[in-house]
Amino acid sequence: MLFRLLGFVLIVGLTSASLQDVKNDIKSGKKPMHGVNLGGWLVAEHWMTQGSPAWIGVPDDVANGGEYQTMKYLGHDKGDGQFNEHRRTFITESDFQEIGSYGLNTVRIPIGYWIVGFDNTGGGDANGWKVWAPGALDYLDMAIREWGPKHNVLVFISIHAAKGSQNGNDHSSPENPGHAYWSTYPENVVNTLDVVEFLTKRYKDEVAFLGIGLLNEPVGQDENVLKQYYYDAYGRVRNNQGSDCLLSTSPMLNEQSPGMGGWDNFMPAGQFYNIRHEWHKYLVWGFEESNGWTAEKVIDYANNGMANDFNNWHGNWIFVGEWALATSVSMNDDQMKRLSTAELNTFGKAVGGWTYWAWKQYGDDGSGKNGWSAKQMFRQGFLPHF
């Protein structure tokens, strides 16, 4: 028994060391992130989880507004159980096992500010966080402390839904859909800083914790406030918590190219470390057939036009936090495979690597050819093993 126990301890130690090596290599730039987003899990999105128990009894116009609107409609008596069942069943350990089997090393997990279970800012709706269903933190704990280490997958947290909403879209779970107030009120920014520090403190010593995306897809916010927030978040993580975890900064959603917004010179390497600049590169919106796009033109753009953005970038290492093989033009199997090759080659220029949006949709058995589902793309051979 003693021999077996010692053997078990040895195996666990080797597994942890291996994952720690991967994490070190990613932070140093020796290895890129290759991963998927667990989108729709801890910040539910109706369009990709329509069959989920989270939305039972909820009209589409309410569900399409996001979790806040849905929980306001359901109330805790119904909503807490429905959202817990969604979290329990949508992503499980078997997903981490399959993700790891493809040689992927990272999952990016979107979270909302309510996950921490407090709001100490005292401003705005200080009790707003209580509207959401509690318990999401238990699942994030499980991903980082159990499933990630067991299946050699790192976790990169993304702040998708900040207090006040940073973009007004459903994935930011706004209190007032279509409106974003994050940078308008100081308490919203302070709350987001508190969330960053709480998560860093909680996970900084966990082998599977890679880092935090400091804000997902800000739109229409005060850029000076946004940049100061990134400076302040860096200080809280490095100075208050003594953590060297990876941090990503996101520009405004309309500034995802070189030379826009001064981001090329923002938080430069040498003065700041373990920083990635996050772009989201989709070939969907603006690439419709009605605009003259064809499958061949989209593939050519992935090979050349999009690649120019990476070739001309001179700031912090780029991390492509979201991309997909979903398109607005029809593609046959050969074209889909060529598009996959083109995008992967282009994203190979991003030292920080990439995470695909998304791993799957609700009820996804992996048998289709939905470009929004990495699970299907891997199983059908449109994405290679890494």
Side-chain angles (χ1 to χ4, degrees), residues 200 204-205 235-245 273:
T200 304
K204 65 180 180 179
D205 296 324
R236 289 222 192 178
V237 170
R238 300 287 186 253
N239 300 329
N240 292 8
Q241 296 304 320
S243 173
D244 67 350
C245 71
Y273 66 96

Side-chain angles (χ1 to χ4, degrees), residues 107-300:
V107 291
R108 178 175 178 259
I109 302 183
I111 59 96
Y113 83 93
W114 59 88
I115 197 171
V116 302
F118 66 84
D119 179 1
N120 294 330
T121 61
D125 184 0
N127 292 314
W129 64 271
K130 296 180 181 178
V131 170
W132 282 273
L137 190 62
D138 293 337
Y139 292 94
L140 187 60
D141 281 350
M142 202 173 305
I144 293 175
R145 293 173 172 168
E146 298 180 31
W147 299 342
K150 185 174 180 180
H151 299 289
N152 286 318
V153 175
L154 297 164
V155 175
F156 189 74
I157 300 170
S158 171
I159 299 181
H160 250 57
K163 182 178 179 180
S165 176
Q166 73 278 12
N167 56 39
N169 296 322
D170 63 327
H171 56 250
S172 70
S173 197
E175 296 186 21
N176 187 4
H179 298 273
Y181 306 105
W182 178 78
S183 68
T184 305
Y185 301 101
E187 60 266 21
N188 295 335
V189 180
V190 172
N191 174 273
T192 313
L193 290 168
D194 289 346
V195 170
V196 170
E197 188 164 1
F198 173 90
L199 294 171
T200 304
K201 182 177 181 179
R202 188 176 188 87
Y203 299 124
K204 65 180 180 179
D205 296 324
E206 301 291 341
V207 68
F209 173 60
L210 179 58
I212 301 176
L214 295 174
L215 197 64
N216 180 70
E217 295 187 351
V219 174
Q221 302 304 299
D222 185 316
E223 197 150 82
N224 291 326
V225 172
L226 178 63
K227 289 181 177 179
Q228 187 59 52
Y229 159 69
Y230 290 145
Y231 285 125
D232 292 343
Y234 183 92
R236 289 222 192 178
V237 170
R238 300 287 186 253
N239 300 329
N240 292 8
Q241 296 304 320
S243 173
D244 67 350
C245 71
L246 215 59
L247 298 172
S248 73
T249 60
S250 295
M252 298 296 177
L253 192 56
N254 64 339
E255 297 177 336
Q256 308 251 330
S257 295
M260 304 184 74
W263 294 101
D264 306 61
N265 302 312
F266 183 67
M267 299 182 79
Q271 298 178 44
F272 301 87
Y273 66 96
N274 287 352
I275 296 287
R276 300 292 182 270
H277 193 64
E278 185 171 332
W279 283 348
H280 294 175
K281 292 291 186 180
Y282 289 109
L283 299 175
V284 181
W285 303 279
F287 294 85
E288 296 85 359
E289 292 178 354
S290 59
N291 290 328
W293 288 90
T294 65
E296 294 302 323
K297 284 186 177 180
V298 170
I299 294 168
D300 179 71

